[in-house]
Amino acid sequence: MNNKIVILILCLMQILFANQSTREWSGVYGFSENIDLQNIDLSKSRQQIFRFLECNNAICLTEYESLYKYSTCKIHKYDNLKILSPNQAILYLKIKDKNNAEKMCKVLLQRTQKGFRAKNPLNAIESCNISLSIFEPCGAGTNPDWTKEFIKE
């Protein structure tokens, strides 16, 4: 009887942990910067946004949107975020490799006080910025900038 109670308590704790982690990760994260040093040309800006939506059982559907000068990139609900803990998650992105073959890449994310950043930006750049999304054509400069901190709005 005691073993059943312990197992029940452990299951309940895991459910509570998953719900708390999901709430902490769900939301909209982004960064923007003006690449025109004189702030004259508004088209010379860069903005990137991740939306972690519809989170259930420590998995969130992911939208990514990017604007770089006149190029835009939108990926809607094809990728996902797997929440490992309140402080770490893995972002899975569908891309095409150099041979135009579909592939899944993953980026380990670390929560920060304001949002998140890639835990290993150089690895993320190498593995995930190979080519364009398989769902939408992305223009030059619209790949996620894994060196930046994405701030939760």
Side-chain angles (χ1 to χ4, degrees):
M1 183 71 170
N2 286 341
N3 287 341
K4 290 180 181 179
I5 293 173
V6 170
I7 292 172
L8 178 63
I9 290 172
L10 290 174
C11 289
L12 289 173
M13 287 175 57
Q14 191 169 15
I15 291 169
L16 290 172
F17 165 76
N19 286 338
Q20 177 189 5
S21 295
T22 299
R23 282 192 305 274
E24 290 178 12
W25 279 95
S26 65
V28 178
Y29 299 80
F31 90 90
S32 62
E33 65 184 351
N34 192 333
I35 53 179
D36 177 11
L37 297 177
Q38 286 85 29
N39 295 323
I40 296 169
D41 190 349
L42 294 177
S43 71
K44 292 186 178 177
S45 64
R46 178 168 63 158
Q47 182 179 35
Q48 297 179 349
I49 298 170
F50 278 100
R51 293 178 186 92
F52 301 139
L53 309 168
E54 300 178 29
C55 299
N56 289 315
N57 299 322
I59 301 286
C60 301
L61 293 177
T62 300
E63 293 180 349
Y64 171 72
E65 183 177 346
S66 178
L67 171 65
Y68 179 70
K69 296 184 180 183
Y70 295 111
S71 298
T72 59
C73 174
K74 291 186 179 184
I75 303 170
H76 292 288
K77 295 184 183 176
Y78 296 110
D79 302 309
N80 65 54
L81 178 80
K82 180 176 182 183
I83 300 167
L84 302 177
S85 74
N87 296 319
Q88 286 192 344
I90 298 175
L91 179 61
Y92 292 92
L93 299 171
K94 294 174 187 167
I95 63 171
K96 287 186 179 182
D97 67 13
K98 294 176 184 175
N99 300 319
N100 211 28
E102 293 181 10
K103 134 179 189 173
M104 183 73 71
C105 74
K106 60 183 178 179
V107 179
L108 182 60
L109 303 181
Q110 182 74 40
R111 286 203 29 97
T112 63
Q113 288 183 345
K114 297 179 184 177
F116 74 84
R117 66 174 52 245
K119 188 155 186 179
N120 186 341
L122 296 179
N123 185 46
I125 290 167
E126 185 177 315
S127 66
C128 290
N129 288 3
I130 292 173
S131 187
L132 308 177
S133 161
I134 64 174
F135 299 102
E136 299 286 338
C138 296
T142 59
N143 279 325
D145 187 341
W146 300 115
T147 65
K148 301 291 185 188
E149 179 180 18
F150 288 81
I151 307 299
K152 190 169 187 176
E153 296 177 2

